[in-house]
Amino acid sequence: MQPILQNRRGKLERWKETGRKASTIFQFFVLPVFLLTSVFILNAAHGAPDVPLNFDGWVTDALAKLETDGITGGFHRQTAPLSRAEVAQVIRQAESRIRAGSVVPSEIDRKLLEKLKREFSQELAGNDGRTIGFLPQLRATEKKIAPALEAGFHWTAGSLKQQTVPRLMFYSEFEAHNFESRPLDGTTAEQRLERWRGGYTGDFKRGYLQVNSTHLNLLVGRDWLFWGASRDKTVGISDNSPPLDQVRLTSTFGKRLKATAFTAQLDSTWYDDGTKRYLAKRYISGHRLDYQFNDRVEIGVAEWVLYGGDAQTLAWKYANPITFYYALQYNAKADDNVMFAFDAAIRPIDGVRLYGEWVIDDIQYVPGANDPHAVAWLLGLTWYPEHLDRLLGIHSEYARVNRWAYTHLVPDNQFTHFGYAIGHPIGTDSDTLRLSASYQFTVSAAAEVRTVLTRHGEGTIADRFYGEDFKALPFPTGVVARTIEIGGQFSYRPLDAWNILLSYTWHATQNSEHRKGQTSGGYRLIFQFGYLL
């Protein structure tokens, strides 16, 4: 989720103080040279073309583990990303529970909490400051081995300890690499990345200004969203697509209730039916409520609307954070893509978390309606056995997206951004079962093995419902492609210094490309090696 602060494999900013500026500059220029020379001692590797970089993937997993084990108590982890100020509050809450004797952490949980305290020491102290971080890395894929870079700048002013003075934060995250990105669909009119010198692309993946007050946070800029209870990818709004250029409001009412609303512009798409051609401007607005019954039970409810078209502009009625989108659309007789989501998580005992999600893209409540229900849902379980000192984690998750979910009769309103599904990566007319086991060797070293079974029907997000006999269609529909993946990964991520990620996946598909009897397969080996400054 890979989410709490970022894309489930982590997108949270982390930095070192600029007091080490001279050392940082030296290492920034010297390390890429070292990484280039390392090519000669590495074996050839096979891997996905868009190997991700991140500063602190461990932070999201650490917070999720501590919450499941009962150390932090409940917090609103189902609406992400959390601000750094919010994470500092979660850390304080965990320490308070430990001091009160309401929870006794295992050795690994205590060390993870201490690592989080070091990472967020500036926020915990309420200090102003600016930090900058560099992560030069060596990436290995099936086509080549080459260096890449991620850098970030983080500046804060003000303290939440002073109730009348809001806290101001500026954040910018930059990535540069010369690896191929996944292809976009044929309707996307814009490119998120363009080639530059040496085949490299540079992208400010995230960049925003955030104002934190006691009860209300305002974010303006580019950031990702993750709404749901899953630890990997949600069936609602997930970080599967590129980050959104948005305005976002977040408000808390005591400890139990959190409200979030945003408005963002999506990529433009071409519409061409042979007689009419235009460039569609596309937008999305959403709002969400999270309610915590206690430290063990949390539920969330959300609604969002995606709309676009010829000469489309921002609809201010949808930008209103406290209106009901479905009523606005119905009264205006508009044909926009309104969706609802419900999710919940419960910890019956410390170390066990059960969760589920349900998304309604279209549901027929009018008697006699002859249209299919377009829904998606997800169920999952996480377990850290106490008798194994919480080092071992068992995870299982099943997700299903019915045919015609994420789709819309108006092509401009399909649930995509730059050709990627905004929801679950399996897309529509598909389901997937994921089983995995993780082991935390040390506070910085972890491993995971996994098996993933996925079925893809012939339906796609570009499909429209034109009155097919949906009751006679099985799930998934047509010639079903069945894929099995078996793999694992090892990561070593200290707060700074050298870091390593090694991932291997073997995969095989029956009825490949929906051709009966055709098979395909292969493996992916991803290697990342870098120095976090």
Side-chain angles (χ1 to χ4, degrees), residues 5 11 79-82 171 192 204-211 217-227 237-239 241-250 259-267 282-288 314 316 319 417-418 422:
L5 277 71
K11 292 180 182 177
T79 299
L82 299 180
Y171 173 56
R192 187 63 177 258
F204 284 92
K205 298 193 301 180
R206 304 170 72 193
Y208 55 80
L209 182 67
Q210 188 171 26
V211 181
N217 297 334
L218 169 66
L219 181 145
V220 180
R222 176 176 292 181
D223 199 14
W224 57 276
L225 286 172
F226 194 101
W227 287 4
I237 295 180
S238 97
D239 56 359
S241 69
L244 306 176
D245 295 305
Q246 62 183 283
V247 176
R248 186 169 78 228
L249 290 171
T250 304
T260 306
F262 78 96
T263 291
Q265 183 170 359
L266 302 177
D267 66 307
R282 306 167 67 239
Y283 303 86
I284 184 172
S285 294
H287 43 210
R288 176 181 171 90
L314 176 66
W316 289 101
H417 182 43
F418 284 101
I422 299 175

Side-chain angles (χ1 to χ4, degrees), residues 58 441 444-448 489-493 499-502:
W58 67 270
F441 292 99
S444 298
E448 181 180 81
Q489 73 173 38
F490 172 82
S491 63
Y492 176 69
R493 292 302 305 269
N499 67 88
I500 296 172
L501 172 66
L502 179 63

